[in-house]
Amino acid sequence: EALNFLQAQRGAFSRQECVQIIQKILSCRTDLGRSLRGKINKCLKDGFPEEQVAASHAGAKSMDEDVVQEEWRLEINILKGTDLVARDDSGTSDPYVIVNLRDTTNTSVLDIRTAKRDKTLNPVWNFSYEENSPEIISKFHTLEVQVWDHDYVTFDDFMGIARITRSEILEEIRNVAIKNPDSEEGTATFELKLGKRIEEDDEVSGSLALRITHAKFPVNKKDEANILKEFKESDLKSARAHEKEKKTDELRANERAARLAKKGDTKGHVRITTKPSEKQPTTKSPVASKVRLQKVFKGGSLKKRTRNVLSFGSSWQSRYFEVREDGSIAWGLGNVDSSEWKAQRITKVRAEQDMKKNTDFEFEIEVEGSRKPLQLRASDERRFQLWLKYLEKVCEGYDLGKIVSPS
């Protein structure tokens, strides 16, 4: 158990932190004999044998063999504030939140800001931000939130500050997973009490509710590389076929014009003919179509917009998605077998393909049996384009029409 725990948390805590946590576990295990306790403590002190570490790591492996690496992901959701201090003469405030990620020297490596909420002491933001940069996440030590009151004339007024370390976040996420195995993977909700600034006599009150996802998630680089390679080969074949068709049309037109010229028909060369590329497309099925769909397209992690019943708003939650050969899209948690995921057949795809307008990489998929479409968001432009490329093939294979811009 100690070995498995250390391997599962590799990279999340320092070795010293892992040792302290495991020693606490050992002190609570009355079923362990003195000899076994001594062996484990010796391993904690002197290091674990390589063969034990390898066996533990192999036993803990649960993902597909194609997964060649894992990447840290950090998602911050500012949900709401409760009983904040009043800063305006009207007895209310116009609060907004500034989020800072700080390194071990307390230097800010990332700062983001929510929108303001007018005249309220109990604001609801449902603001979501995701960070995947290895450079920033590697420096992340402390998450700091500051609440400010927006003023149009004077300077903005301070309303409170709260901090939580990365170790505290990861420990709470682990505790949530132990208490509730069905909880969202790598996620925990925090209620942070707002306090004063150092050496400042600020009037503060209330708290902030945050939901944070911070964990290592598998990235199937091999699968993505194969898909991209297939797309490039398909595009190259299409371009060659189009060029060949164009040359054939020109050759036939020249031959026809020569024959008509011999017969004395001087207008024959301007007669309009229907080119093969201009013929009306026939309805295709995946079996008869030249479009070759994969048995399962593993699209990895996307954000799915979900209604928040408590705040009557919505939030973006991470889920794993795949598209199957029968034209259905399935999604669920990464720690649940994909055969148990919810699956619905795709009927329409909508996406704004102008990246200047679609800076959040969002797209919609209409599915059978649902009045509302799946509203999805990719983590970056590369993954967004990867999804659109494959969805274009699905739409072509099942005659669903082209991908259109959302209304």
Side-chain angles (χ1 to χ4, degrees), residues 334-349:
N335 56 2
V336 177
D337 190 89
S338 60
S339 61
E340 300 179 20
W341 290 357
K342 185 175 181 178
Q344 291 176 286
R345 192 177 295 276
I346 298 171
T347 59
K348 192 76 175 176
V349 181

Side-chain angles (χ1 to χ4, degrees), residues 147-389:
V147 185
W148 291 80
D149 170 52
H150 180 268
D151 283 326
Y152 287 98
V153 180
T154 60
F155 292 107
D156 293 354
D157 298 314
F158 178 78
M159 296 177 64
I161 188 172
R163 296 183 183 89
I164 183 169
T165 65
R166 184 187 187 197
S167 295
E168 291 170 335
I169 292 171
L170 291 168
E171 186 171 358
E172 179 59 21
I173 288 173
R174 184 181 65 85
N175 292 337
V176 169
I178 293 172
K179 294 176 183 177
N180 182 13
D182 296 328
S183 62
E184 185 175 353
E185 189 175 5
T187 302
T189 302
F190 300 83
E191 191 78 20
L192 302 182
K193 185 178 179 181
L194 296 174
K196 300 178 181 180
R197 291 173 292 188
I198 299 175
E199 298 181 356
E200 295 285 343
D201 189 21
D202 300 308
E203 182 183 354
V204 299
S205 68
S207 61
L208 280 184
L210 285 74
R211 185 174 61 248
I212 300 174
T213 298
H214 190 37
K216 278 187 175 181
F217 288 89
V219 179
N220 199 327
K221 297 291 186 182
K222 182 179 178 181
D223 191 43
E224 286 190 10
N226 289 338
I227 294 166
L228 287 171
K229 182 180 178 182
E230 182 182 331
F231 287 153
K232 289 178 180 178
E233 291 176 352
S234 176
D235 291 342
L236 184 60
K237 287 179 182 178
S238 298
R240 287 174 177 171
H242 178 72
E243 188 65 28
K244 185 177 179 181
E245 184 180 289
K246 184 179 177 182
K247 289 181 178 179
T248 302
D249 289 344
E250 290 176 355
L251 182 61
R252 287 175 179 172
N254 291 335
E255 290 176 350
R256 184 173 181 276
R259 287 197 304 269
L260 292 173
K262 286 182 180 180
K263 294 179 181 180
D265 187 352
T266 57
K267 297 182 180 179
H269 64 284
V270 294
R271 290 181 184 178
I272 298 174
T273 59
T274 302
K275 296 182 180 180
S277 59
E278 294 173 346
K279 292 179 180 179
Q280 293 298 320
T282 56
T283 302
K284 294 181 179 180
S285 68
V287 177
S289 173
K290 293 181 181 178
V291 176
R292 185 168 64 88
L293 299 179
Q294 296 183 27
K295 189 173 182 180
V296 178
F297 166 68
K298 296 180 180 180
S301 175
L302 294 174
K303 291 292 190 59
K304 177 179 176 291
R305 192 166 194 169
T306 305
R307 183 184 174 189
N308 193 321
V309 179
L310 295 177
S311 63
F312 299 99
S314 62
S315 60
W316 294 89
Q317 296 185 353
S318 295
R319 292 290 184 269
Y320 285 89
F321 286 81
E322 64 183 33
V323 179
R324 297 168 181 171
E325 194 177 19
D326 62 357
S328 63
I329 182 169
W331 65 94
L333 294 173
N335 56 2
V336 177
D337 190 89
S338 60
S339 61
E340 300 179 20
W341 290 357
K342 185 175 181 178
Q344 291 176 286
R345 192 177 295 276
I346 298 171
T347 59
K348 192 76 175 176
V349 181
R350 302 177 186 276
E352 176 57 67
Q353 300 189 51
D354 184 351
M355 291 295 94
K356 292 182 180 179
K357 296 180 181 179
N358 190 6
T359 55
D360 292 326
F361 315 116
E362 295 180 11
F363 58 101
E364 296 179 357
I365 299 179
E366 293 183 10
V367 293
E368 284 184 358
S370 178
R371 291 181 298 174
K372 293 185 177 181
L374 294 174
Q375 293 179 285
L376 306 175
R377 179 184 286 175
S379 58
D380 51 45
E381 185 176 353
R382 181 175 178 273
R383 186 170 290 274
F384 173 79
Q385 296 294 351
L386 187 69
W387 265 93
L388 254 59
K389 279 279 190 181

